Amino acid sequence: MSGQLLVFVICGAFAVLGALGLLFFHKAVHAALSLALVMINLAAIYAALDAALLAMAQVIVYTGAILMLFLFVIMLVGIDRRESHRELIPGQGVVAILAGIGTLGLLVFAILGSFPAQAVGLEAANGGNVESLAALIFGSYVFAFEFISALMIIAPIGAMVLAQQARLTAKKTQRERAAARIEAYAQKGVHPGTLPNSGVTALQDSIAVPGLLPAGRISTSSVSQAMVDRDAVVNVHAVSLLTAQRFAELSGEVPPAIIKPEPVDLVDTKDERELLK
Amino acid sequence: MILLEPELTGQTLYISGGVFDFAWLMLAAPAVGAAVLLLTGSFFDKRGHWISILAVLASFATALAIFVQFLIGGGGSYSVDYLNWITTPAWSVNIGLYIDQLSILFALLITGVGSVIHIYSVGYMAHDVRRRRFFAFLNLFVFAMLLLVLANDYLVLFVGWEGVGLSSYLLIGFWQHKPAAAAAAKKAFVMNRIGDLGLTMTVFTLLAFLGSSSFADVDAKIGTLSPQWITAVGLFLLLAACGKSAQFPLQAWLLDAMEGPTPVSALIHAATMVTAGVYLVVRSHTIFAVSEIATTAVVIVATVTIFIGAWIGCAKDDIKKVLAGSTMSQIGYMLLAAGIGPAGYAFAIFHLITHGFFKANMFLGAGSVMHATGDDVDMRHFGGLARFLPVTFATFAMGYLAIIGIPPLAGYFSKDHIIEAAFEHNLVVGSAALLGAGITAFYMTRLMMMTFFGARRWEPGVHPHESPKSMTIQLIILALFSVAIGVVMNGWIQGWLAPALGTEVHEIQWLPTPIGLITLLVVIVGVAAGVYLFRVRPVPVAQPQTKNPLVIAGRNDLFGDLANETLVVKPTMFAAQVANANDTVFIDGAIDGVAVGALKLSEIGRKLQSGRVRSYALATFVGAVFIGVITIIGQLG
Amino acid sequence: MNPEMVALLAAVLFVLGAVGVLIRRNALVIFMCVELMLNSANLLLVSFAYAHGSLDGQVAAFFVMVVAAAEVVVGLSIIVSVYRSRRTTSVDAPDLLKL
């Protein structure tokens, strides 16, 4: 087995794994990372196929630039979104998979036998991959290259226009927002004031610590959903236990193991269970 | 429409000029009267009836002048087309008048009796708030009836025919606040429609086969029609006559029509409109002359109706319904005479004229009685009224003697001639007519005895009083005619009508013939029976219970309504329900099914058009695969 | 190494990308799947270049890469602006293709 084939088998397997990850990860970030896996492995395969420039471009442009752009956008819009895999359109998944199998069949049917028995290889054509490609790009493909560079100018301008769109509605005044808040309170009972602060304990005071209500229950609205999505919420009851233990140690009165609090279930809503998961 | 010059079309002996140029006035006067009264609203509420009377008197004067012109000038007829109404490539219809001895006699009767009844109504309707409307309808009726008898074309006649139907409907239901009156009006209208169908079929047939429906053309070309179609036309005309003249089997509406005001009953449902059927048959004598079947049918219908009318007359306690039954029966006599053939035409018209007078007389007399007893119509609540209503009694008695045929009063001559002609025609028909005369005498005697003689069976609080002069004078006028018209017309009528009907003039018997004597005998027996049963024996106030099926049948109008209900209404309702069910289940089912199918189809289509990007993407993808498969299969093939 | 195997890998990646486009709902992930499909096409081009001993395939793959970069820029800005107005990145939510 040649090194080339070895690279192909290993990197091909990882690429397929990454593609499957793209299909099955719930979170966009994971999908983006698995796409990065695919791309890097493809870059390795490019390299094995005597395409040094493309391999580098794949790593630098695709994985480095484009996927970073994806991650930026995910950070902007999608970090706290989980996508359920429960299909809402009846038959969509089944038909899509069947159509995919059909496509695969067609492609395999088309590919098999359409390649020359022995690959020509690029030793002759390459003679220094970058120089040869440059000769082509700035030679016979120069017009295509110029058009694409024009596209590269235009596309960011378009992106800026899209991102900088004018306001669709007038900015709400403070009075209007206050009225809307009271209206929401009247209609749905939404609390009109500011949301509760995150919790401040002796040991921790990050925004990942939920605030406690007077009865000792967790205030679900005191932590950001982003924290929940990241599983970063601190278990305050563990913290308070720890604090009590520390107090006991400092005062030297009662060994901490003895004052283990009653196993009172202070969590009584589903949301709170979710928080403390 | 094109206004035509008065033109003489080529039939024999047309005359023109003189008073004939004013013939249109006969129609115009009542038409204008009706229009003015109906369109001016309450402006003429107080004095409007005088406009109406003036109109009908003007009409009467014109008719009289034309009549005198005929008397002086002799035979011939006058025909004028005023307007071109309908023109098609195949045929055209002109609106015009046709005046001959027959139609002018009718015009005289209509306007004469009409005038009398108009004047009578002034007193009779004095307390009705809608009197102006009543007189407008009366004028409308006179106009339509004159159009009917003066038309020169079956289609124009049909307009008048429908016009009298309309006025009859409006006047029967004049007291529309009474449900019975409204129902009676509707019934009369609907049953008349059946008859009208006959007339429309006549017009259609004539237009289709002869290319014209004018009397002149029909008379000239009737020979070219095939015998089957002549018979059909004859039967159509008979159907029309049955509807309008309340002959069997379309007789049921006339009794209910008595819900209308009494002058209406007198004018429309005794003297004029109900005799339109007889006019139609006589006017169409050229058609009936060539169809044996049609004339036989006329005779049968007439004979049956004579008995039905008389039977009902014997059983009813409502004075107006007795008279209505009598009217049916007498029109049966007229139709019988008309059906007998040329020998009977003149007698039919003769009896029609005399009947018009004496029946109008008796109806107005009945109105006077009702006026005296507080609008009671039940004869069992009358009795002994002769002393309190002397004028009414005397005039009514004249009408009574006239109708039962006591010489030398009007009915004697006219009815006797019909019975004789019937015997000449057929022994059975003659006997039936003779028997009918006896029954007539019986039920009219019954009416007289129950109303004017015997014990006073009045309701408490009733104080009979004679009617005002405006009513009694009319009674006297009509009574005089009832007495004298027979003698006056007996020797004259045949000769008068001969040019119009093309009949021969037979010698007229003035003295009773053997048949006349037998008739008189039968009549006397009928009178005696009536006197015995209703004068000698006391009349119970309440209608006696009876198990006699003949009496029960008579009281129930011979179950005419039941027959209509069972034979016509229920099957019609059933057919309507079937049609409705068919409509609901099959038609609606098919239509709705198409709609629902389209809906379901579009539901499916709508699901395809979900608006979801991924569904569209999937469709694109599947489509691409599909195309790929097809391409490859094509490559392989 | 037989380029046919590389082409088959490209086919598998392409189909996975296509199915991902159809079954995922997050617009960003769908977009990534589109990128995966583009990459599989690139892989195919490179394998063709290798098989035929010609660099034209690599040039085409290079152009695809550049165009993909431009496309990503525009596509992501569209996603951001849709997210701004509708507060979601699910492609099922804006069913405005139906009136």
Side-chain angles (χ1 to χ4, degrees), chain B residues 12 38 87 96 122 138 158 182 189 206 208 227 270 274-275 379 390 441 462 479 499 512 516 533 549 557 618 625:
Chain B
T12 51
L38 282 176
T87 298
V122 174
L138 277 186
F158 182 64
F189 200 73
L206 293 175
V274 288
T275 59
M379 294 194 295
V462 169
L533 283 175
D557 305 345
L618 179 62
V625 174

Side-chain angles (χ1 to χ4, degrees), chain C residues 6-26:
Chain C
V6 183
L8 288 176
L9 174 65
V12 169
L13 291 179
F14 180 85
V15 167
L16 286 175
V19 172
V21 166
L22 293 173
I23 65 174
R24 296 306 297 259
R25 266 173 294 175
N26 189 332

Side-chain angles (χ1 to χ4, degrees), chain B residues 23-148:
Chain B
W24 55 269
L25 194 61
M26 275 192 284
L27 290 165
V32 169
V36 165
L37 289 183
L38 282 176
L39 297 178
T40 51
S42 59
F43 186 72
F44 282 119
D45 266 354
K46 286 244 169 60
R47 296 271 174 273
H49 46 280
W50 297 116
I51 294 176
S52 174
I53 290 168
L54 200 66
V56 72
L57 282 176
S59 209
F60 176 62
T62 316
L64 196 62
I66 294 172
F67 179 70
V68 170
Q69 177 70 34
F70 266 114
L71 277 181
I72 303 166
S77 58
Y78 172 79
S79 180
V80 57
D81 287 336
Y82 291 116
L83 296 167
N84 181 264
W85 182 13
I86 305 171
T87 298
T88 72
W91 46 266
S92 70
V93 172
N94 294 328
I95 297 178
L97 299 184
Y98 179 77
I99 301 173
D100 65 356
Q101 287 84 350
L102 176 64
S103 54
I104 196 63
L105 208 55
F106 260 91
L108 262 187
L109 176 73
I110 294 157
T111 53
V113 176
S115 301
V116 169
I117 286 169
H118 269 70
I119 297 168
Y120 176 91
S121 304
V122 174
Y124 191 87
M125 300 297 286
H127 304 297
D128 199 304
V129 289
R130 296 160 75 231
R131 180 168 64 172
R132 171 181 58 83
R133 191 184 300 235
F134 179 79
F135 275 91
F137 291 160
L138 277 186
N139 263 12
L140 181 66
F141 168 75
V142 170
F143 161 72
M145 190 71 201
L146 285 172
L147 183 64
L148 195 164

Side-chain angles (χ1 to χ4, degrees), chain B residues 195-554:
Chain B
D196 296 343
L197 182 67
L199 196 50
T200 46
M201 291 306 292
T202 304
V203 173
F204 294 160
T205 313
L206 293 175
L207 285 176
F209 289 101
L210 303 182
S212 168
S213 57
S214 80
F215 296 147
D217 289 341
V218 171
D219 285 353
K221 296 184 195 165
I222 191 70
T224 63
L225 205 57
S226 69
Q228 293 89 341
W229 277 110
I230 293 180
T231 302
V233 170
L235 293 176
F236 289 150
L237 286 168
L238 175 61
L239 177 63
C242 283
K244 198 57 89 186
S245 295
Q247 300 295 291
F248 178 80
L250 298 177
Q251 83 284 5
W253 66 270
L254 185 59
L255 292 162
D256 289 354
M258 295 301 133
E259 289 292 339
T262 305
V264 171
S265 307
L267 176 61
I268 300 183
H269 305 117
T272 54
M273 187 191 84
V274 288
T275 59
V278 180
Y279 171 79
L280 187 68
V281 172
V282 174
R283 174 57 83 199
S284 314
H285 61 89
T286 47
I287 295 172
F288 283 99
V290 286
S291 173
E292 189 78 26
I293 299 171
T295 46
T296 310
V298 171
V299 168
I300 291 169
V301 164
T303 314
V304 170
T305 312
I306 289 173
F307 281 106
I308 287 179
W311 192 346
I312 292 171
C314 292
K316 287 285 180 184
D317 289 332
D318 181 327
I319 185 168
K320 286 180 72 179
K321 293 201 171 172
V322 173
L323 290 173
S326 162
T327 304
M328 263 185 225
S329 177
Q330 299 303 313
I331 294 170
Y333 274 108
M334 299 168 209
L335 209 57
L336 175 63
I340 284 170
Y345 292 150
F347 301 138
I349 301 303
F350 186 18
H351 194 53
L352 194 157
I353 303 279
T354 58
H355 172 262
F357 283 107
F358 62 65
K359 187 54 67 64
N361 173 23
M362 283 192 284
F363 260 113
L364 295 189
S368 179
V369 169
M370 287 159 59
H371 189 80
T373 57
D375 281 336
D376 199 342
V377 291
D378 191 342
M379 294 194 295
R380 294 186 185 277
H381 300 160
F382 297 162
L385 287 173
R387 183 178 298 178
F388 297 89
L389 309 171
V391 181
T392 305
F393 167 65
T395 54
F396 203 102
M398 294 300 116
Y400 160 69
L401 294 174
I403 192 176
I404 65 174
I406 299 296
L409 280 78
Y412 164 71
F413 294 105
S414 53
K415 200 193 282 182
D416 196 46
H417 292 319
I418 293 175
I419 294 172
E420 279 182 38
F423 269 112
E424 277 173 34
H425 181 72
N426 184 310
L427 192 63
V428 177
V429 175
S431 312
L434 181 64
L435 191 58
I439 304 175
T440 306
F442 170 73
Y443 67 72
M444 286 312 297
T445 307
R446 173 175 178 266
L447 189 153
M448 280 301 281
M449 294 304 148
M450 286 177 81
T451 305
F452 291 106
F453 296 100
R456 297 168 189 171
R457 302 180 301 273
W458 311 333
E459 299 273 280
V462 169
H463 305 290
H465 53 280
E466 186 57 277
S467 298
K469 283 226 173 63
S470 72
M471 289 162 75
T472 52
I473 289 174
Q474 315 307 320
L475 291 175
I476 293 166
I477 294 171
L478 290 173
L480 288 178
F481 272 101
S482 306
V483 171
I485 195 85
V487 183
V488 171
M489 291 177 75
N490 189 29
W492 166 81
I493 183 78
Q494 281 197 68
W496 170 260
L497 289 176
L501 300 173
T503 50
E504 295 168 18
V505 182
H506 296 277
E507 199 177 336
I508 287 296
Q509 299 293 325
W510 286 92
L511 293 174
T513 55
I515 290 174
L517 286 173
I518 295 170
T519 309
L520 210 53
L521 202 64
V522 170
V523 166
I524 288 167
V525 169
V527 170
V531 169
Y532 171 72
L533 283 175
F534 298 99
R535 177 76 179 94
V536 178
R537 287 178 21 172
V539 177
V541 176
Q543 195 176 47
Q545 293 293 317
T546 178
K547 289 210 168 74
N548 184 344
L550 297 179
V551 177
I552 293 172

Side-chain angles (χ1 to χ4, degrees), chain A residues 4 8 12 16 19-20 22-23 25 28 31-32 35 38-39 42 45-46 49-51 54 57-58 62 66 69-70 73-74 77 81 83-86 88 92 96 100 104 108 111-113 115 119-122 125-126 129 132-133 136-137 141 144-145 148 152 155 159 162-163 165, chain C residues 1 3-9 11-16 19-20 22-26 28-29 31-33 35-36 38-39 42-43 46-56 58-59 61-63 65-70 72-74 76-78 80-81 83-84 87 89 92:
Chain A
Q4 195 187 31
F8 172 74
V16 171
L20 288 172
L22 198 54
L23 252 65
F25 279 126
L35 183 61
V38 176
M39 284 171 174
L42 286 186
I45 294 177
Y46 289 168
L49 289 171
D50 294 346
L54 279 181
Q58 176 84 358
Y62 247 125
I66 295 180
L69 204 53
F70 267 103
V73 173
I74 289 168
V77 303
R81 293 278 184 280
E83 185 188 347
S84 161
H85 278 173
R86 198 161 60 85
L88 296 177
Q92 175 88 10
L104 189 62
V108 169
I111 289 166
L112 288 180
F115 279 86
V120 177
L122 287 168
N126 257 345
N129 182 252
S132 308
L133 271 180
L136 271 177
I137 289 169
Y141 291 99
F145 177 79
I148 282 184
M152 284 301 281
L162 278 169
Q165 64 195 155
Chain C
M1 182 176 72
E4 213 166 56
M5 293 162 68
V6 183
L8 288 176
L9 174 65
V12 169
L13 291 179
F14 180 85
V15 167
L16 286 175
V19 172
L22 293 173
I23 65 174
R24 296 306 297 259
R25 266 173 294 175
N26 189 332
L28 281 164
V29 179
F31 210 13
M32 290 176 207
C33 292
E35 293 303 319
L36 178 60
L38 282 172
N39 267 296
N42 273 356
L43 182 59
V46 171
S47 73
F48 275 133
Y50 182 77
H52 294 282
S54 155
L55 279 174
D56 294 309
Q58 290 194 10
V59 174
F62 176 76
F63 283 151
M65 219 176 267
V66 178
V67 171
V72 163
V73 169
V74 177
L76 285 177
S77 62
I78 288 174
V80 168
S81 61
Y83 178 78
R84 261 197 207 155
R87 286 281 145 202
T89 55
D92 284 352

